[in-house]
Structure formats: C-alpha cells, structure tokens
DNA sequence: GATGGACTTGAACGATCGTTCAAGCTAAAA
DNA sequence: TTTTAGCTTGAACGATCGTTCAAGTCCATC
C-alpha cells in the first residue's frame, strides 16, 4: 500500500490497465502482468490480493481517465461540441498509446462469462455513470440554447452511449479513418432533429 | 466427416456454436464442449482438428443463420422494413434460445488477442459480408422508392452496421426492452433524413 | 554493527488447459 | 463366425494457469 515502495502504485496500475485493455481479462496471464509491470507474484498478491483485484483497480483507473478526458473537453468547448470532440478523440485519435479502439468496459462486458458476475456488474455500473454524465452535459446544452429544449436528455444520452459503443467497435473492424469520421458526423447530425 | 456417425455433424456444430457464442472462445474449455456436445476429445479432434477448427465451423454456422434470418425478413417485408425487423429480432426478441444479445462476430473480434489473428480476420470478413448485404438491401429500397435515391447506400450500410453493433452491445448492459425498442426507432428515424 | 519490520523474490503447488493415442467397440463384408 | 475398417473412448501428456509461502533483501533505527 505504501507509495514509497519500489514500484509506484499508480504507475503499476496504469501499466496493468493498458495490458488488460489490450488483451482482455482472460487472455492476460499473471505471467504477462509480471513482465509488463516488473513485479513478482508475491508482490502483486500482497498489493492487490488477486488477478481480479488488480483488474478492478484497472477498471477504476480507466474510468477515471475517461471522465477526466471528457471533462477536459468541456473546458475547451461548448457542451455539445465537447461531446463530439470526446467521441472523435476516443474513436479516432491515437496520439497517445491506446491499445485498442474498443471501450475497455464494453470489452469486459463482452468477454466475461457469467462466472465473473462481480466484474460484470462493476463494468455495468461505470457505464451507467458515463451515461449519466452524457445526460447532464445534454441538459447543460439545452440550458445554453445549443440543443432543442423539447428533447428528452435521458433518452438522448442512451442514444449517444449506444452510438459510442457502435462507433468504437466499428472502428475496430475498419481501419479507414475517413469513413469513421463520417460516421461520427452522421451521429451528431442525427441528434439535431 | 461421415454424416452417418453417431453424432450428426450439423447438430454438433449448432450446439458448439451456442456455447461459444455464450461464453466466448477462450472461456469455453474443451471440457465444456465435451459435455455440451457429448463427444470425447478423440472424436472432436478427429472431426474438427482442433478447438480453433471447431470454432471456425461455429462462426460459419452463425453467419449462415444470420444471413438466412435477414433473407427471411425480406420475404415478408419491404427492404427497409425487413432491415428494421431484422434489427428488432436480433436485438430484442429471445423467443428462441439466444445465449446473448451481442453479435458473435463482434464478441470474437472484441475478445481475441492478436495471437488469434486468423480467427479475427475470419470474423472481419463475415462482418464485411453482412455490411454488403445491408448495402444491397438499401439499394433495393431506393429502386422501390422506399428510400431517397440521393443517399449513398454504402455509407448508409456502414452506418447501419455500426448502429447494430451499438444496439446489441447496449442491450447487453440494459435489460429494459422498452428503451432499447425506442433506440431502434430512433435509428431508423435518423436514416430517413 | 546489530536488530527489526516491510517489501520482494522465485520455486513450487494443485488445478486446468488443449491435445494425443493406444486400446476398445461396433457393424458391415467375407 | 471371423475379419476388417472406422469411430469412439478416456487415461495420460506436457504446458500453462492463478496462487502461495518460506526465504532473502533492504533500509531505517538503535
């Protein structure tokens, strides 16, 4: 638990997150993790309890980063434009080292069998939180006159969440960035009416 | 290979498909498969070569069924309505035993690490085929005056493919069928303009 | 320099993984 | 009834899985 340990805890979690995000929970072995974060089994288990425990920390880290990213966009853009910018940065840009276009939460939800019910519920909860954030941004957009006030923001938020899942997964199958960018335009065009 | 074997090959593949679709490639063990299809390792390997070989057969079976399902819809409805009906039946209805809402091809693409490149390419190819079928249905819709002729059907097909990925994945997270039905309505409303 | 406590190490565990293969079974041919 | 060919069986293989733990290392304190 001590941050004075040889391995800075946050740094370790970040590295583990990237690996889990890339390969998924089951395809990432403890051996893979040991190599990536440069820790031996004993240390990992002392710090995180289990592979599942470390994965939970990774999910948390991933979501916190996503929240920060979206909030960063709202500092630069109007609510609606911030959402679109967030979509673009998450679906297309790979200036940083993004291991895959697919959302880690969605990947978790998709790959895990019912045996890992606890992790599944965790991922579902985080996705719900993201949808709530979308909704509050949409409400804000209404207040600022950027979005038609007659719209149901909860419904729109669901719509956007669904779109983002589709966009990211589609981007995984299709390397052509131009057509993906086109799709994002289509999506944000469609919510105007 | 003989169809006269104790286990009918197609029936075995169908059972294997359901299991793989439910649990995914890596979370399905040969033991799970043995129990489900009631065959011993030796027979399975004699018939399919490997776990990966059986999985390929499962993917093929899954796609053939999907094609048939969509084509079945076109027999009953106009092209555009057939597409929507296909979406509904695939995202919402569970009158048959559908192990999960998520598309098996998407699940495969999402869960597999780069090591299984061959299976990944296979799934990508099938998805492309599905998109092509969407496109040809959209063109047909234009010819019958159901869809504005100025639309780019290839672009629309991409859009629908992406939507379907999103819808099915979203349905996995949200049990509320009413809001999912709403989302489908939103999607098909959005392609009219 | 000796002591004590915290962190790290890596060999080893039992379980399970995908896979192999010699032996057994079954039913048609001779 | 005996032979034969093909399918099925399940014990067993080596590899790898997640996990444990006794021993070692490190460093602040006395």
């Amino acid at each position: 638990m001590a941050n004075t340990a040889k391995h800075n805890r946050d740094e370790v979690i970040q590295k583990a997150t990237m690996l889990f995000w890339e390969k998924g929970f089951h395809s990432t072995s403890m051996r893979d993790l040991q190599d990536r974060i440069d820790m031996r089994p004993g240390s990992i288990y002392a710090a995180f309890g289990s592979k599942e425990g470390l994965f939970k920390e990774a999910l948390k880290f991933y979501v916190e980063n996503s929240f920060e990213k979206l909030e960063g966009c709202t500092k630069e853009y109007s609510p609606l434009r911030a959402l679109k910018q967030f979509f673009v940065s998450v679906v297309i840009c790979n200036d940083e080292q993004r291991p895959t276009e697919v959302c880690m939460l969605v990947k978790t939800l998709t790959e895990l069998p019912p045996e890992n019910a606890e992790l599944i519920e965790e991922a579902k909860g985080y996705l719900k939180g993201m949808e709530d954030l979308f909704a509050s941004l949409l409400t804000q957009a209404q207040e600022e006159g950027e979005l038609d006030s007659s719209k149901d923001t909860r419904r729109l938020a669901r719509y956007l969440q669904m779109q983002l899942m589709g966009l990211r997964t589609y981007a995984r199958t299709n390397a052509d960035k131009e057509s993906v960018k086109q799709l994002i335009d289509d999506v944000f065009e469609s919510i105007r009416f």
Side-chain angles (χ1 to χ4, degrees), chain A residues 111-123:
Chain A
E111 77 151 320
L112 290 186
E115 288 94 285
N116 301 97
E118 208 180 320
L119 293 179
I120 290 175
E121 287 310 310
E122 196 116 341

Side-chain angles (χ1 to χ4, degrees), chain A residues 24 46 68 125:
Chain A
E68 279 168 23

